[in-house]
Amino acid sequence: MELLFKILLAIHIIAGGIGLFTGTINLIRTKGDKKHQLTGKFFFYGMIINAIAGFIMSIMHNNLFLLIIAVFSFYMVATGQRFLSLKKLDKGQKAEPIDWALSITMILFALGFLSYGSYLCVNGNNMGIILLVFGMISILMARKDILIYKGNLKFKNEWLLVHIQRMVGGYIAALTAFLVVNNVYLPSLVAWLGPTVVLTPLIVYWSRKYAVKIIKK
């Protein structure tokens, strides 16, 4: 069993490194060209493999940190990638069963995060705050998914905006994991929530920059 864990850990570290490296490249360079798309594929597969390995390890060693990051990052990059296949939502395209499954599964995990987070907060454990934050963010994003799937669109290119938001969110998860694991000087809450606080303004900026509103007749 320990050998399997070590193998998974090696896969987790390598895939996470690929995700963090390629994510940084796409974060700072031109968006939408062929190089962006190619780098994005490495980011996507790196993060998915990292998340799957992390999830299995979290179960094997009862590691709440790994569980949160694995579930959150998998959901972010999986939905971010799926929205690239939903470019005609404004023309009546319907979400696939896999899209609904991803969002509903995230809601279930988020409810678990919120419940356990509340319990930890009551007992004075700061990890509860982290669970509450990630749980609430996850609930809001999954709710947005479902509204979009039902045709409640605010923008013609909703698929692009969600893609940007989720991929940057996946990068935030990778950076958070890196900081938490290697943290020596920062307070725990800063390491956990710092990347979210610092990079969320970029999500807001790009969402506003690329948004194309639906003109109602």
Side-chain angles (χ1 to χ4, degrees):
M1 190 66 72
E2 279 305 306
L3 176 59
L4 175 60
F5 184 86
K6 290 180 179 179
I7 293 173
L8 288 171
L9 179 60
I11 294 172
H12 179 74
I13 292 172
I14 294 171
I18 292 172
L20 193 58
F21 178 69
T22 55
T24 301
I25 292 174
N26 268 359
L27 196 69
I28 62 178
R29 70 176 307 282
T30 303
K31 308 292 183 286
D33 60 13
K34 290 184 178 180
K35 289 183 179 179
H36 173 89
Q37 295 172 18
L38 178 60
T39 305
K41 288 181 179 180
F42 280 98
F43 173 75
F44 170 72
Y45 288 112
M47 290 298 296
I48 288 294
I49 293 170
N50 172 270
I52 293 174
F55 182 80
I56 297 172
M57 289 192 298
S58 74
I59 301 300
M60 293 175 68
H61 278 203
N62 193 28
N63 189 316
L64 184 59
F65 158 69
L66 271 178
L67 178 65
I68 296 171
I69 294 296
V71 171
F72 192 75
S73 60
F74 184 92
Y75 166 75
M76 295 294 264
V77 297
T79 53
Q81 186 70 17
R82 277 298 308 160
F83 266 91
L84 291 177
S85 300
L86 299 173
K87 296 181 179 181
K88 297 182 180 180
L89 287 169
D90 63 310
K91 297 179 180 178
Q93 182 183 9
K94 301 298 183 183
E96 300 291 335
I98 182 62
D99 302 310
W100 286 94
L102 285 169
S103 301
I104 292 172
T105 301
M106 186 68 255
I107 289 176
L108 295 176
F109 271 105
L111 291 174
F113 291 164
L114 292 172
S115 298
Y116 191 50
S118 299
Y119 169 80
L120 292 179
C121 284
V122 170
N123 287 276
N125 190 329
N126 284 340
M127 191 66 181
I129 299 174
I130 294 163
L131 276 167
L132 290 177
V133 171
F134 276 85
M136 186 57 65
I137 291 173
S138 300
I139 283 283
L140 291 174
M141 289 191 299
R143 176 179 178 274
K144 180 178 181 178
D145 292 346
I146 292 173
L147 289 174
I148 291 174
Y149 299 158
K150 289 183 175 181
N152 189 354
L153 305 177
K154 294 182 179 179
F155 304 98
K156 292 186 66 175
N157 59 341
E158 199 83 58
W159 64 271
L160 175 61
L161 304 183
V162 178
H163 171 73
I164 292 171
Q165 293 159 8
R166 299 298 164 79
M167 289 309 189
V168 177
Y171 176 79
I172 289 174
L175 183 58
T176 299
F178 177 80
L179 287 179
V180 171
V181 170
N182 297 284
N183 182 38
V184 177
Y185 303 107
L186 296 175
S188 179
L189 281 177
V190 173
W192 267 99
L193 302 179
T196 299
V197 173
V198 172
L199 293 175
T200 296
L202 279 178
I203 296 177
V204 175
Y205 169 74
W206 283 323
S207 295
R208 290 177 177 176
K209 179 180 179 180
Y210 294 110
V212 178
K213 289 186 178 181
I214 292 177
I215 300 176
K216 297 182 179 180
K217 297 180 180 180

